[in-house]
Amino acid sequence: MDRTIIKTGAAAPAAGPYAQAVRAGGLVFASGQLPIDLSTGGFPDGVEAQTRSSLANLAAVLEAGGASLASVVKTTVFLKDMNDFSAMNAVYAEHFPGAAPARSTIEVARLPKDALVEIEAVAIATGPVAA
């Protein structure tokens, strides 16, 4: 089975010994994407802005792997506070109109760099890996 490590400068870099994504068997497995703003290196304020930023990073990683948000079949959303569910969900819904993918949302004690949200995904590869 082919296994390709996906790496792109269009999204936040991996913060440890892991790949931004791996493409294998026609699927792209994207690691959890933090809401890092590439222009500042920091996080935007609030869970809505952080959700948008995490999803932008996720979209960039998926595109580098030959997939897209439209080809996502499963996501996992990690929230620091489940009280932010409605706000996160509203932004999330904007990025997955129509037939949304399967999803789990989990409240966690702490996320890397004290983020409010982190989002990972599995998507169907629909195109080539970006050069």
Side-chain angles (χ1 to χ4, degrees):
M1 176 187 313
D2 288 337
R3 181 177 180 265
T4 305
I5 302 300
I6 306 302
K7 184 175 181 181
T8 179
Y18 60 88
Q20 287 173 309
V22 175
R23 181 170 165 159
L27 297 173
V28 178
F29 299 86
S31 295
Q33 297 299 304
L34 292 172
I36 297 172
D37 180 326
L38 292 179
S39 65
T40 67
F43 296 152
D45 292 330
V47 73
E48 293 96 343
Q50 286 196 20
T51 301
R52 280 189 183 85
S53 188
S54 288
L55 287 166
N57 285 328
L58 181 61
V61 168
L62 290 171
E63 288 171 19
S68 68
L69 290 178
S71 68
V72 169
V73 294
K74 171 71 168 80
T75 63
T76 304
V77 178
F78 302 95
L79 278 177
K80 180 173 172 61
D81 185 346
M82 197 57 79
N83 290 316
D84 289 333
F85 180 86
S86 292
M88 174 282 299
N89 202 49
V91 174
Y92 181 97
E94 294 170 6
H95 290 78
F96 294 102
R103 180 181 84 187
S104 300
T105 303
I106 304 161
E107 181 180 70
V108 295
R110 191 169 181 199
L111 289 166
K113 301 184 180 187
D114 292 321
L116 301 176
V117 64
E118 181 176 8
I119 304 171
E120 67 181 23
V122 178
I124 298 168
T126 58
V129 172

